[in-house]
Amino acid sequence: MKKADVKLGDIVSAKSEEELTKPFIGKIEKIYENSAMLKIIDFDEADKTAISDLNNKLVVNFKNLKAAPKRKVKEIQSLADNDVKIEKIAKAKLDDQEVDEKTK
C-alpha cells in the first residue's frame, strides 16, 4: 500500500518482518511517513505471546500492508470497536480510628 491509500480507522491485513510469524489483521491508529501503527485485532494463535508482549500494537511499513478481505472486515470491525478501558482505582483511605489502632 501507499501512504495515500491509508486512512485512520482502516482495517488492513499486515505482516511483520521481525516480531510475528504469521500475517495478522489490524486497525490503523496512527500514520507516520513510511509506516502506520496498528492495533492488532485478529491474529494466529502461534503469535499470541508476542502480541501480548507488544500490547496489541505494532508499527508496520506501508509495503507490508494490504486491504483486508472484505468478507472479514465487518466481522472484525466489531472486535476493533470493543476497546476495554482500564482505570486505576484510588486506594480507600483508612478512617482515623483504623489508623490509630495500627500505630499503637
Side-chain angles (χ1 to χ4, degrees):
M1 291 185 102
K2 296 178 182 176
K3 184 176 182 179
D5 300 331
V6 177
K7 293 180 277 186
L8 290 177
D10 282 355
I11 305 293
V12 294
S13 177
K15 64 180 181 175
S16 170
E17 294 178 343
E18 298 174 7
E19 289 86 358
L20 306 176
T21 60
K22 306 283 185 178
F24 62 94
I25 297 191
K27 180 178 180 180
I28 296 177
E29 290 194 333
K30 190 165 186 174
I31 299 172
Y32 301 106
E33 190 64 34
N34 297 308
S35 57
M37 179 185 293
L38 304 179
K39 174 185 174 193
I40 302 169
I41 53 177
D42 190 34
F43 54 90
D44 191 278
E45 197 64 29
D47 291 323
K48 185 175 184 174
T49 302
I51 289 172
S52 177
D53 291 345
L54 294 166
N55 293 322
N56 291 2
K57 295 188 185 228
L58 185 63
V59 176
V60 179
N61 192 299
F62 291 135
K63 69 180 181 181
N64 293 326
L65 299 178
K66 62 181 181 179
K70 292 190 186 262
R71 60 181 167 76
K72 287 196 103 182
V73 170
K74 286 185 181 181
E75 172 188 329
I76 292 171
Q77 186 68 44
S78 64
L79 294 173
D81 293 338
N82 290 336
D83 289 335
V84 176
K85 303 291 183 194
I86 299 174
E87 296 179 17
K88 290 185 178 181
I89 300 174
K91 291 183 180 179
K93 292 183 179 181
L94 298 174
D95 62 321
D96 292 336
Q97 183 180 8
E98 291 178 33
V99 172
D100 289 341
E101 291 175 7
K102 288 184 178 186
T103 57
K104 288 183 181 177

